[in-house]
Amino acid sequence: QQIRIVVVSHGQAADPFWSVVKNGVDQAAKDMNVRVEYRAPETFDMVRMAQLIDAAVASRPNAIVVSIPDAKALERSITAAVKAGIPVVSMNSGSDVAEKLGVLVHVGQTEYEAGLGAGKRMKAAGVKNAICINQEVGNVALDLRCKGFFDGLGTKPNVIPVKIGDPTGIKNAVAAALQKDPTIDGVLTLGPTAAEPVLQAIEGKKLVFGTFDLSPAVLKALSEKKMAFAIDQQQWLQGYLPIVILANYVRYGLLPANNVILTGPGFVTPENAAQVIDLSKKGIR
Amino acid sequence: MTPLIELRKVSKYFGPVVSLKDIDMRVYAGEVHCLLGDNGAGKSTLIKALSGVHQPSEGQIYMEGQPVVFNSPRDALDKGIATVYQDLAMLPLMSISRNFFLGREPKKKVGPFTLYDAAFAAQVAREEMKKIGIDIRDPDQPVGTLSGGERQSVAIARAVYFGAKVLILDEPTSALGVKESAVVLKYIVQAKLRGLGVIFITHNVHHAWAVGDTFTVLNRGRSYGTFKKEEATREQLLQMMAGGEELEALAVELDLIAKKDPTTAAQIEHKAAEELHKPN
Amino acid sequence: MTPLIELRKVSKYFGPVVSLKDIDMRVYAGEVHCLLGDNGAGKSTLIKALSGVHQPSEGQIYMEGQPVVFNSPRDALDKGIATVYQDLAMLPLMSISRNFFLGREPKKKVGPFTLYDAAFAAQVAREEMKKIGIDIRDPDQPVGTLSGGERQSVAIARAVYFGAKVLILDEPTSALGVKESAVVLKYIVQAKLRGLGVIFITHNVHHAWAVGDTFTVLNRGRSYGTFKKEEATREQLLQMMAGGEELEALAVELDLIAKKDPTTAAQIEHKAAEELHKPN
Amino acid sequence: MAVRTQDERLRPISLWQRLLLRPELGSIAGLVVVFGFFAIAAGGSGFLTWAGTRNYLEVAAQLGILAAAVALLMIGGEFDLSVGSMIGVAAVMMAILSHPDYGGLPISLSLVITLGFALLIGYFNGWLVLRTGLPSFIVTLAMMFILSGANIGFTKLITKLTIVSGLGDSLAKDPLSFLFTGAFLGLPAAVWWWLGVTLVLSWVLLRTPFGNWIFGAGGDPTAARNVGVPVRRVKITLFMLTAAAATVVAAIQVMGLGSANVLQGMGKELEAVAASVIGGCLLSGGYGSVIGAGIGALILAIVQQGIVYTNIDLDWFKVMVGGMILGAVILNNYLRKLSMQVRR
Amino acid sequence: MAVRTQDERLRPISLWQRLLLRPELGSIAGLVVVFGFFAIAAGGSGFLTWAGTRNYLEVAAQLGILAAAVALLMIGGEFDLSVGSMIGVAAVMMAILSHPDYGGLPISLSLVITLGFALLIGYFNGWLVLRTGLPSFIVTLAMMFILSGANIGFTKLITKLTIVSGLGDSLAKDPLSFLFTGAFLGLPAAVWWWLGVTLVLSWVLLRTPFGNWIFGAGGDPTAARNVGVPVRRVKITLFMLTAAAATVVAAIQVMGLGSANVLQGMGKELEAVAASVIGGCLLSGGYGSVIGAGIGALILAIVQQGIVYTNIDLDWFKVMVGGMILGAVILNNYLRKLSMQVRR
Ligand SMILES: Nc1ncnc2c1ncn2[C@@H]1O[C@H](COP(=O)(O)OP(=O)(O)OP(=O)(O)O)[C@@H](O)[C@H]1O
Ligand SMILES: Nc1ncnc2c1ncn2[C@@H]1O[C@H](COP(=O)(O)OP(=O)(O)OP(=O)(O)O)[C@@H](O)[C@H]1O
Ligand SMILES: [Mg+2]
Ligand SMILES: [Mg+2]
């Protein structure tokens, strides 16, 4: 009987970040010769996520992988899985609560810390007044990135909400913000869907621009020095490792001793961008 | 005797359109008051003002001597005015019996709840329709599948059933067959004998003459005045309704047409012209 | 002579409803064929089958001797059949002139483009309406703001304007005043003299008698047969339309009502009964 | 049904055809097909187990509670696009009011306050639509923005985040929360709420004068007003009912999860409309069924949850959902037409 | 307009009132108010500058191109909820076809292929709606799921990502891309497209027989069919037009940005409907204006972009957008009623 693992994450299938996670999952499934089903709600929706986990439990898989953006909301479903004797590994978010919920291992990075790192980096670059572009207000993971960013920078929060499906709207909103307040000297985006339009909006302006997560265009901009940095959580690993860990756990009962495995934050800068470009095209970074 | 319902200098404007201007009218209990006039004369507008659909732009309505304002059709209904609208006010997707009782649902008490009494509604709708000469197949049938005349009959049966003091009928016989029309006229007489005031709009002189006691003629939003049946002959009424000169011109015209093609059409045409001239 | 249009054993079912059953009918060029019958007899269904709105469930339609199938109203229109529907087929939010030409827009060429000729449309609509006796205020006015009769006139004027071989009119005079009705009757005669076949549905015996050459009577979806004008008297026609016995019963009933309240109503009632009995 | 005299103008019609004429019964065919599909495709992996059944029933329940009210509103001729964000507002409001760090009220009290607020919003929606005569689509679209925007604004103002979590303890103390989170005969409270709401509203629609008015107000408001239906009152009541249903869903979610998020309920407005349409409601109003909306919700829930049990790749998930919805409505429609060609 | 004979049944009516009777002209009042608001609230911070103007015009242009087609479709009595995901599909398809790593086609060729595909989808939408007789709302809702789902599925299959970037070079080579990304008289190509599409479609609606058919097909399809309007053909054409408009918007975005992602266009369907309604289109069909839809798009764009120039905390962004939409439609509606109480 082939091992069957269900992955439930809070990020949509369409999101570039999460599509890399899924690529890692799929690769691990192939490498470990296990069957993996990946499930996610259409939007950031804890109710749906809890329901998906419940459905996963009902389908009696050998193991479950979850992300935990809101521990309270998912607590019941996750503990139910644990109680049912299904091994659970968490990924991406939830490092602080994983152990309490009975999760075996957490693979990921805390959003807040990553944001904090970005803020500190900008501060070091001399940024005094920055904006954070949020393409999905209400998604707690993105909220935390912005929050950490401004804490690290030590300035008052200034978040520009934009619509994820509207590149021109994003570009022009940033252009408008820069026009309104010319003292802005730093921009942080929370994903490549926002980063690419923003690249156009800041063309020819002297400011520090960083983003979360990679895409071919982001890496190209980095190597052309149009950007200062991109924060890479190496989310491929967040998909890959849990499957490997669980496959070995189910088969042989083996488990790493360290119950939090950090995959990031890693910073990609103009200096090391070139080597990542190829991987990014393959959907690994 | 105070009139059941009285209009004094009622006018109605729709933006730039003057639909009614300074209308005076009195309707007494136990009389059938016919409202006559060309198309677009303002008849429907007048009765809509009486049934609370429109509020008059100017002027005042009195009911049994008291000034009244009808804020809504429900208001008018509650004060005892039941109306058959020219555009019928029927819901095509709803069943006959539900349409019949819409807005005045029969109620039954079941424990603490007030329920819609569907069985009673179906029965009454069927009976009332039967009285008017229409044997409906199924009171649950949607009104949208009825023929024009059948639909009209539902509206009439409903108004007659609910009519309390005043019964208003806007061209109720226009879509009806000879037999059904006769039944409606009978209804009008019955209502009058029960002491209701009936306002009856029609384009058919015969119908008006058969049941009317009083006639008010509208023309382009203004009143030509009110006449008692005793004061006029049927021919005068026809003249008033049609504006005599025009009819004569028409007869001449028809003759001319007939002359153009004398071989086949002469007699028929002649007869037609005669026909048109004389009774209707 | 081959009939312009012929129906052989045409039936139409709507689910369980039998609307028409085995209808045979022949309409010749240059004749006015009146279709008579009670409400719900199936007259509208019959003409809808002729104008392509419904396809017959059984039977065949022939045009000038050839079997035809009308797949859509446009199809029928293209073959020269213009219809005034009982429910008018008017768009309330559209202007009079646009409604008038809907589906048959007047075109003008401007360079490579085929445009809608709005000026021409407005002018024709105004003129045709004037011919029928309605002086419209503004051809750009939405049809929804017209009175019932005015709306009917637009539909008639349109069909007459576009009528090529067959003109079908479903109760065109029902909402019209005396004057306007006369004009429509005149139109019917004109169309016939121009060699069109006219199918005319009405509940008004006078109108039918005035212009009709042939009469087909429907009853509950079946045909009572076709009669030439020469073969019948007006009274016979009335009997056929109304089903004599019922009318007599009604007269008796009206008398009874009158007796209940003899003081006020006796004469009026008597007269009404007479009225109903004799001409209509 | 009254005794029917046989009429030669009627061809015989079977009971089966009569049943299929009911607006909701066509959708049952869609349900059977969808269920059958998953029973075959995913029966082995737990879809047919009790846990699997409970899982999709719970999803159906929340959507169904909403859809029952939305269906009534649609039959009454109006739309409410703001009902999704109303869920979010109600959830966050309830959570903040009872959260130990902010309101600290007992959950039952905050439920009552939230319900009052929701009814107010519903009233305002209805008032605005009727007062201005604007289409409810655009008015409630604007309200959707306003509600979800205000939700973000206030929540960030109070909690600095867009999430309110950590209600667990205050919930456990309150006996009322059992009404929303408990279970009875093995089924979660939400399912019972769903059944209750559907039956009561269906009963209101079909058996009370008010139900008749709903059909009237939706079918042709002018005609209904002309015969004396208080159209304004009917419509405003329906808007309030819809907001109340959103609050019930929010209560079930908040008390079940112990946390609330400003995005909660997003998109539910379209799902509820879809459920109602699948269940036979006309978008133009005046026709439809509450039971049908419940079946529509069940179909959507089975599709959504059933896919989890199959091994269809997530990347193609939405294609499946869309295809299933389309298939269900087409089938439903086709069957209805087949059995009865009465209406044009 | 023909010469008018004076009629005693007409009260005098001013030219101003006549103008306000046009469906779109009420919305101009909304535009003036919204613009005025931002001119005052944000005039100092660059809203009124040329750059600021270009900024919101560009946003308005893309929405406006879509809204023009959507307005026609709405006047024709149908809805298309799938038009947002059609943008995403067209964008990604175009990008993949021209991307050096995948299709490698010149961008003009991939535009043509994509347009052909979009027209096919539009045709299918229309065919399905007319064939089944189902409301277009539910059919295109399902299509929205199917399209965006297939978009994710295929894109991941081909590129392993959900984003296709790095088109820059292949674009620069193609002269055609100037048509979508260039500028003329200081205004970006999108704005000229917007103007062109709006004028042409408005002209089609008001000055051609086909325009008359659109009104007819939307106002009362049965009546229109009865007088000979080819309702099927009209509606299918409109669905295809809408899909084509989505492709144009996608082309402008892809060529401007040099990249595409599967989420592109999400939510645009509702914005386009909102713009049309603000511009005076009736949701029930049969009435409306293309110019009005353009003004509606402009209002929405000004609100969206203008807020960034003000000092309002952007947490309240959506509240402002909703409030402004509501204000604009109410004002527009009120003015129209005030000036002319012709219709009930
Ligand atoms: N809501 C409205 N807006 C604008 N004009 C209206 C409105 N209602 C009626 N009118 C106009 O007022 C005039 C009178 O209309 P009304 O319907 O009262 O005529 P009517 O006498 O009932 O005619 P008919 O015998 O044809 O039914 C008509 O010219 C009509 O165009
Ligand atoms: N689409 C339909 N579905 C079901 N029944 C129908 C449909 N159309 C017509 N009928 C039924 O067929 C019968 C004939 O209707 P039709 O409209 O042809 O009558 P009619 O002779 O025109 O009557 P009227 O003089 O009242 O207009 C009616 O009983 C009607 O209920
Ligand atoms: Mg009238
Ligand atoms: Mg008829």
Side-chain angles (χ1 to χ4, degrees), chain B residues 53 73-74 77 85 89 91 93-94 98 102-103 105 107 113-116 126 135 137-138 140 142 145 158, chain D residues 1 4 9-10 18 203 206-209 212-213 215-216 219-220 223 225-230 282 342-343:
Chain B
V53 175
R74 190 176 190 87
L77 264 169
Y85 298 93
L91 293 152
L93 289 173
M94 247 163 115
R98 277 180 181 261
L102 183 60
E105 285 75 11
K107 285 165 190 148
F113 303 113
T114 314
L115 296 194
Y116 172 71
R126 178 182 281 280
D135 181 10
R137 303 187 180 99
D138 174 3
D140 288 339
T145 62
R158 175 172 67 185
Chain D
M1 242 166 265
R4 236 168 280 279
R9 293 169 300 176
L10 276 179
R18 274 212 166 265
W203 176 84
L206 298 173
R207 293 272 167 271
T208 69
N212 214 21
W213 295 353
F215 280 117
D220 184 342
R225 199 174 293 120
N226 282 358
V227 297
V229 173
L282 285 189
V342 176
R343 246 156 275 125

Side-chain angles (χ1 to χ4, degrees), chain B residues 14 17-19 37-46 54 86 170-171 201 203 218, chain C residues 137 141 144-150 175 177, chain E residues 9 341-344:
Chain B
F14 293 105
V17 176
V18 180
S19 247
D38 271 353
N39 294 124
K43 307 181 293 297
S44 297
T45 309
L46 180 62
H54 296 321
Q86 193 171 8
D170 193 354
E171 304 193 20
I201 300 184
H203 287 300
L218 293 189
Chain C
R137 303 183 180 103
Q141 192 180 346
T145 63
L146 293 180
S147 83
E150 289 168 335
Chain E
R9 291 169 301 174
Q341 281 124 344
V342 175
R343 244 156 276 127
R344 281 180 284 179

Side-chain angles (χ1 to χ4, degrees), chain C residues 44 86 170-171:
Chain C
S44 298
Q86 192 172 9
D170 194 353
E171 303 194 22

Side-chain angles (χ1 to χ4, degrees), chain C residues 96-110:
Chain C
I96 296 173
S97 62
R98 276 181 182 262
N99 255 299
F100 194 99
F101 282 97
L102 183 61
R104 316 245 106 187
E105 286 75 10
K107 287 169 188 145
K108 67 175 176 204
K109 275 273 183 196
V110 174

Side-chain angles (χ1 to χ4, degrees), chain A residues 46-129:
Chain A
M46 285 307 103
V47 178
R48 278 291 294 145
M49 211 185 146
Q51 289 165 347
L52 287 173
I53 297 174
D54 291 344
V57 174
S59 73
R60 308 230 104 256
N62 298 89
I64 290 181
V65 180
V66 292
S67 63
I68 317 177
D70 180 355
K72 268 285 164 244
L74 302 179
E75 183 177 355
R76 219 176 51 163
S77 301
I78 294 174
T79 30
V82 173
K83 277 212 193 93
I86 301 170
V88 181
V89 164
S90 64
M91 55 124 159
N92 184 261
S93 39
S95 56
D96 43 343
V97 292
E99 198 171 1
K100 213 180 83 209
L101 294 180
V103 169
L104 300 176
V105 179
H106 177 83
V107 181
Q109 164 212 13
T110 49
E111 305 288 3
Y112 179 82
E113 307 300 334
L116 200 69
K120 285 185 177 144
R121 208 166 251 262
M122 281 225 184
K123 192 172 185 179
V127 171
K128 301 216 163 46
N129 182 7

Side-chain angles (χ1 to χ4, degrees), chain A:
Chain A
Q1 182 82 34
Q2 199 184 26
I3 291 176
R4 182 167 153 270
I5 300 174
V6 181
V7 182
V8 183
S9 79
H10 65 275
Q12 327 157 7
D15 188 293
F17 175 87
W18 287 99
S19 70
V20 171
V21 174
K22 183 166 177 294
N23 288 342
V25 167
D26 290 344
Q27 187 60 45
K30 223 179 275 162
D31 293 350
M32 303 309 295
N33 188 27
V34 295
R35 200 179 117 199
V36 179
E37 281 148 24
Y38 190 110
R39 305 294 168 213
E42 292 306 303
T43 52
F44 183 85
D45 185 345
M46 285 307 103
V47 178
R48 278 291 294 145
M49 211 185 146
Q51 289 165 347
L52 287 173
I53 297 174
D54 291 344
V57 174
S59 73
R60 308 230 104 256
N62 298 89
I64 290 181
V65 180
V66 292
S67 63
I68 317 177
D70 180 355
K72 268 285 164 244
L74 302 179
E75 183 177 355
R76 219 176 51 163
S77 301
I78 294 174
T79 30
V82 173
K83 277 212 193 93
I86 301 170
V88 181
V89 164
S90 64
M91 55 124 159
N92 184 261
S93 39
S95 56
D96 43 343
V97 292
E99 198 171 1
K100 213 180 83 209
L101 294 180
V103 169
L104 300 176
V105 179
H106 177 83
V107 181
Q109 164 212 13
T110 49
E111 305 288 3
Y112 179 82
E113 307 300 334
L116 200 69
K120 285 185 177 144
R121 208 166 251 262
M122 281 225 184
K123 192 172 185 179
V127 171
K128 301 216 163 46
N129 182 7
I131 51 177
C132 180
I133 315 297
N134 188 343
Q135 74 270 22
E136 196 184 6
V137 179
N139 181 335
V140 182
L142 301 190
D143 277 357
L144 287 170
R145 287 177 179 180
C146 280
K147 193 158 179 276
F149 174 66
F150 289 112
D151 286 353
L153 193 62
T155 63
K156 196 169 80 35
N158 188 1
V159 180
I160 310 276
V162 293
K163 276 179 289 183
I164 196 166
D166 186 2
T168 312
I170 296 174
K171 183 186 95 189
N172 287 9
V174 173
L178 295 179
Q179 195 188 349
K180 175 188 150 204
D181 184 358
T183 65
I184 290 173
D185 51 3
V187 180
L188 180 74
T189 56
L190 303 181
T193 37
E196 293 182 14
V198 169
L199 271 173
Q200 289 198 335
I202 62 165
E203 196 129 292
K205 296 211 165 62
K206 269 191 70 67
L207 36 69
V208 182
F209 175 30
T211 186
F212 272 80
D213 309 334
L214 304 177
S215 80
V218 165
L219 288 166
K220 186 153 169 283
L222 276 171
S223 60
E224 287 166 3
K225 293 202 164 54
K226 286 183 189 157
M227 287 180 78
F229 62 85
I231 299 167
D232 179 23
Q233 301 193 14
Q234 308 189 70
Q235 70 268 32
W236 166 274
L237 289 179
Q238 296 179 6
Y240 192 84
L241 288 182
I243 304 296
V244 175
I245 292 168
L246 283 169
N248 285 304
Y249 180 71
V250 172
R251 282 196 186 116
Y252 316 117
L254 300 176
L255 208 60
N258 212 346
N259 58 9
V260 175
I261 300 171
L262 291 179
T263 60
F267 283 86
V268 180
T269 56
E271 290 72 49
N272 61 4
Q275 71 192 73
V276 221
I277 285 183
D278 233 30
L279 290 176
S280 173
K281 276 189 181 159
K282 289 190 186 129
I284 294 171
R285 283 196 77 166

